[in-house]
Amino acid sequence: MKIYVPMDSAAKALGAEDVVAALRAEAPDADIIRTGTRGMIWLEPLVEVEIDGVRHGFGPAEPSDAAAILDGTSAKALGPVEDLEWMKRQTRLTFARVGVIDPLSLDDYEAHGGLKGLRVALDLSAQQIVDEVKTSGLRGRGGAGFPTGIKWQTVHDAEAPQKYIVCNADEGDSGTFADRMVMEGDPFTLIEGMAIAGLGVGATRGYVYLRSEYPDAIAVMTRAVELARAAGVLGSDILGSGRAFDMEIRKGAGAYVCGEETSLLNSLEGKRGVVRAKPPLPALEGFLGRPTVVNNVISLATVPVIFEKGAQHYADFGLGRSRGTVTLQIAGNVARGGLFETAFGISLGEVVNDLGGGTASGRPVKAVQVGGPLGAYMPVSKFDTPLGYEEFDQAGGLIGHAGLTVFDDRTDMLGMARFAMEFCAVESCGKCTPCRIGAVRGVETLDRIAEGDAAALPLLTDLCETMTDGSLCALGGFTPFPVMSAVTHFPDDFARQKEAAE
Amino acid sequence: MPASADFDAAELKLIIDAHRSLEGPLLPMLHAIQDSFGHIPAESHAPICDALNITRAELHGVISFYHDFREAPAGRHVLKICRAEACQSVGGSELAESLLSKLGLNWHGTTPNGAVTIEPVYCLGLCACAPAAMVDDRVVGRIDAARLDTLLAEAGA
């Protein structure tokens, strides 16, 4: 009997280990395989039992459910997992294997299409590899949406004795967990993507800068790199091709700003994670001053499928200039939270109401913060906005890493605006004044508004303009997004405070 | 989270030698030192600076920049409670505040018996099963007051 139980952090956080112990006690001979998560976090721990070659789901499982799951009488039976509405409606390209395979089995990985992309890439010239990525239309999934192929071209064209691939796995944005899910659920796809990037730009060394808040992801990635090296996927002779690429996992140290690429590079070098002015671009002077590709986890983890299925196949999904799929992370006060991979173009309202099922509390939705702590609070009136880089930009927001955090009608938006400023003050690297001082003044100004000082609101607007225009990086530059979107879309929360004071 | 150990110069030398030839050696070295000693002991500063040819100011800058590095040992266990937006959307702030006031602690405070240090964390990537916390390296989702009490009791607070 084959049983699958996720070892993803979210499943563990909801009691997967206790469920596994109960299953082992009930069925000592069963073959229990640990996987990543399918992304239906509201059903975790989701136990899957293989019946006639089809995986049937049971969830959310508790240890006391073990016996009934095993004898097929459990009331938590969901039927075949692949037939669930949530799974059927997705286009899983980057996350095709997550939740399906044993993350640390290279055989499993290859049996599900793994390493095909790398083998294709090994037969191409470096320029052909870069051209494929350009054709795919892949844009950086970390937030800025910069075309990945153009970044690679710059590094490809640079001449240097050493180049690097750096993976930004410092996924600090609240409401986002796609990077964590892919690293815990399908680590070899990231390794393969980095190896292809190395072949494309002529880099032989790579680093994954992984945040220390993700101990499970660090453990899985570290082991996966060892296994890949032992199997010749990494090292001086990739799959017998005579070409070299090797990589290391590096642990962050709890600084949010290190998700900004130049700050990350300083941190990787062993310095304070202070932002660097651009230019020079990291593509020309990055890690240790050498040409460096800095890409997000999802961008790099998507590279193998582009080579496996063809750049045009990938580009055929999407909307306008946003090609391929977007990995939505539905989070916060939501009935059905989780990860949903789909072509760009789905509307915000469809995601929140249709997929997410509205709030967990059952109350009306008030706002959705899209794109993490630096993303705008979108009101229900903007729910028809399609998810696309340009479309969201026009609506006064940003997709960022595609995390969506849902809030119900009890949320005090002035409080959320204050938190955005407070967070910026705590996490500012201190290099530029608008961010370092501006965030502190922002907290004070919002406190004045809360006390009913009407003169403080224009001051806040002015301060936000200064932060937007004058900050070096997105931390100071984008903190005004949540603050000003709250002011603009929820003016009552800023006025009501005033009446209360009077 | 290992308990603070007595400073051991020989062990420090082993750690420094194991990391000094890495590209960008300082963060991995500091993590390894903290894993062994529970914090970054002041006695380690001069040997690190000598090995990496950096100034004490540069080292202090790095240790003090990152939230993870401690200059003094924490409690025997560290309970991190997420303060970020997704956890706030389901009552995380109220939960953390009531816990801190019940224990009579501020953020970063340690219970009087030295068992647990309470720290804020900004996102554990458990945003679809919030509010979230982490005890040492073990993640916990959908916490409530009762669950927090259990976690604290297990940790000996």
Side-chain angles (χ1 to χ4, degrees):
Chain A
M1 187 177 209
K2 271 190 177 173
I3 303 173
Y4 300 85
V5 187
M7 61 173 196
D8 181 274
S9 310
K12 283 184 170 176
L14 297 172
E17 299 314 297
D18 293 339
V19 171
V20 168
L23 288 166
R24 277 198 210 288
E26 287 286 336
D29 298 331
D31 185 9
I32 300 182
I33 299 156
R34 305 305 299 270
T35 62
T37 172
R38 299 272 193 168
M40 297 176 283
I41 305 299
W42 78 97
L43 292 178
E44 292 293 354
L46 175 64
V47 175
E48 295 179 30
V49 180
E50 197 171 286
I51 303 169
D52 300 330
V54 177
R55 284 161 69 164
H56 290 247
F58 299 85
E62 288 171 45
S64 58
D65 296 324
I69 289 174
L70 291 165
D71 67 23
T73 60
S74 176
K76 290 182 179 171
L78 301 162
V81 175
E82 299 283 352
D83 292 346
L84 292 173
E85 195 63 18
W86 180 276
M87 297 304 298
K88 278 203 298 194
R89 288 179 64 179
Q90 294 187 63
T91 305
R92 287 227 178 190
L93 297 178
T94 310
F95 280 76
R97 283 176 294 261
V98 177
V100 177
I101 64 165
D102 171 354
L104 290 172
S105 162
L106 254 176
D107 290 341
D108 230 5
Y109 180 66
E110 279 202 79
H112 287 81
L115 299 183
K116 274 191 196 154
L118 180 57
R119 290 203 168 90
V120 170
L122 281 167
D123 289 333
L124 300 177
S125 71
Q127 185 59 52
Q128 283 172 321
I129 291 174
V130 174
D131 288 343
E132 278 290 291
V133 175
K134 281 187 196 161
T135 306
S136 76
L138 180 66
R139 293 168 70 174
R141 294 288 189 256
F146 188 81
T148 304
I150 298 196
K151 192 183 274 186
W152 288 20
Q153 186 70 60
T154 310
V155 179
H156 170 275
D157 294 345
E159 291 201 19
Q162 181 68 53
K163 300 180 191 178
Y164 295 96
I165 308 296
V166 171
C167 172
N168 182 346
D170 196 49
E171 183 179 50
D173 288 352
S174 177
T176 64
F177 44 85
D179 295 356
R180 182 184 64 62
M181 254 182 73
V182 81
M183 289 188 289
E184 292 179 5
D186 193 15
F188 294 120
T189 194
L190 176 57
I191 293 171
E192 185 181 347
M194 288 179 70
I196 295 172
L199 295 170
V201 304
T204 54
R205 272 186 231 163
Y207 291 93
V208 178
Y209 185 92
L210 217 172
R211 61 199 300 260
S212 61
E213 292 86 343
Y214 284 179
D216 292 289
I218 292 171
V220 175
M221 280 306 305
T222 304
R223 183 72 190 126
V225 167
E226 289 166 5
L227 291 169
R229 201 177 284 141
V233 176
L234 293 173
S236 55
D237 185 20
I238 301 173
L239 298 175
S241 65
R243 301 168 73 180
F245 184 78
D246 210 338
M247 57 187 278
E248 267 180 54
I249 309 300
R250 286 290 174 88
K251 182 173 159 185
Y256 173 77
V257 75
C258 290
E260 196 283 332
E261 61 176 356
T262 61
S263 158
L264 184 154
L265 291 169
N266 275 336
S267 184
L268 203 56
E269 289 179 9
K271 300 172 183 160
R272 294 158 63 223
V274 173
V275 173
R276 298 176 184 172
K278 291 192 273 193
L281 294 171
L284 296 172
E285 291 180 37
F287 183 54
L288 302 174
R290 305 293 195 193
T292 305
V293 168
V294 185
N295 275 153
N296 169 259
V297 174
I298 300 299
S299 316
L300 287 163
T302 301
V303 167
V305 75
I306 290 172
F307 284 81
E308 180 197 339
K309 302 207 165 160
Q312 195 55 48
H313 175 84
Y314 189 78
D316 285 344
F317 297 98
L319 166 80
R321 286 175 50 217
S322 305
R323 307 313 310 169
T325 56
V326 56
T327 49
L328 303 169
Q329 299 130 82
I330 309 169
N333 192 339
V334 66
R336 294 191 293 272
L339 180 132
F340 192 92
E341 182 175 358
T342 185
F344 281 98
I346 189 172
S347 77
L348 179 59
E350 195 180 350
V351 175
V352 174
N353 292 324
D354 196 20
L355 297 175
T359 61
S361 58
R363 302 179 67 97
V365 174
K366 180 165 187 173
V368 182
Q369 189 178 29
V370 184
L374 306 177
Y377 286 102
M378 307 290 276
V380 176
S381 60
K382 297 229 173 189
F383 268 20
D384 57 353
T385 311
L387 279 147
Y389 292 106
E390 281 72 25
E391 291 73 14
F392 249 69
D393 188 45
Q394 281 161 19
L398 51 111
I399 294 187
H401 196 38
L404 301 98
T405 305
V406 181
F407 294 84
D408 75 12
D409 62 344
R410 292 171 297 184
T411 310
D412 166 26
M413 298 311 293
L414 191 152
M416 298 316 296
R418 187 187 188 279
F419 179 79
M421 283 292 189
E422 186 192 350
F423 181 70
C424 181
V426 171
E427 296 297 335
S428 176
C429 81
K431 177 150 180 161
C432 68
T433 316
C435 174
R436 184 184 68 241
I437 310 280
V440 178
R441 294 288 171 264
V443 173
E444 295 165 1
T445 311
L446 280 155
D447 284 343
R448 281 175 56 189
I449 296 172
E451 286 161 11
D453 182 349
L457 201 52
L459 202 60
L460 181 71
T461 308
D462 189 48
L463 174 67
C464 281
E465 275 173 25
T466 305
M467 289 177 72
T468 303
D469 295 340
S471 299
L472 264 178
C473 83
L475 180 51
F478 286 7
T479 293
F481 267 115
V483 175
M484 289 314 295
S485 60
V487 171
T488 307
H489 300 308
F490 307 95
D492 291 355
D493 283 18
F494 292 79
R496 205 162 47 221
Q497 308 283 336
K498 180 178 147 193
E499 285 158 18
E502 283 165 356
Chain B
M1 191 66 53
S4 71
D6 288 330
F7 179 70
D8 178 341
E11 191 178 341
L12 178 73
K13 185 171 185 313
L14 283 177
I15 295 171
I16 290 176
D17 289 344
H19 292 89
R20 65 192 304 167
S21 60
L22 294 175
E23 291 181 317
L26 186 52
L27 258 62
M29 192 180 281
L30 290 174
H31 274 303
I33 291 170
Q34 184 153 303
D35 285 346
S36 282
F37 301 108
H39 66 297
I40 310 291
E43 298 93 324
S44 67
H45 293 186
I48 296 171
C49 292
D50 282 348
L52 302 184
N53 195 26
I54 58 174
T55 65
R56 295 187 68 175
E58 283 170 302
L59 178 63
H60 176 73
V62 170
I63 294 173
S64 57
F65 184 88
Y66 295 98
H67 298 310
D68 283 5
F69 299 129
R70 311 171 182 287
E71 299 189 72
R76 288 187 290 282
H77 298 280
V78 176
L79 170 63
K80 292 186 177 176
I81 304 177
C82 181
R83 286 196 68 203
E85 287 86 348
C87 289
Q88 289 187 41
S89 76
V90 281
S93 308
E94 295 77 11
L95 204 58
E97 276 158 29
S98 72
L99 179 80
L100 288 170
S101 75
K102 195 170 90 180
L103 296 172
L105 297 175
N106 288 318
W107 288 114
H108 305 287
T110 303
T111 54
N113 68 357
V116 183
T117 299
I118 313 280
E119 295 201 329
V121 63
Y122 296 97
C123 199
L124 295 166
L126 302 171
C127 317
C129 52
M134 184 156 76
V135 185
D136 301 332
D137 272 354
R138 185 164 67 95
V139 287
V140 195
R142 284 198 210 116
I143 52 167
D144 53 21
R147 194 75 206 279
L148 275 178
D149 285 345
T150 311
L151 292 174
L152 286 171
E154 283 170 6

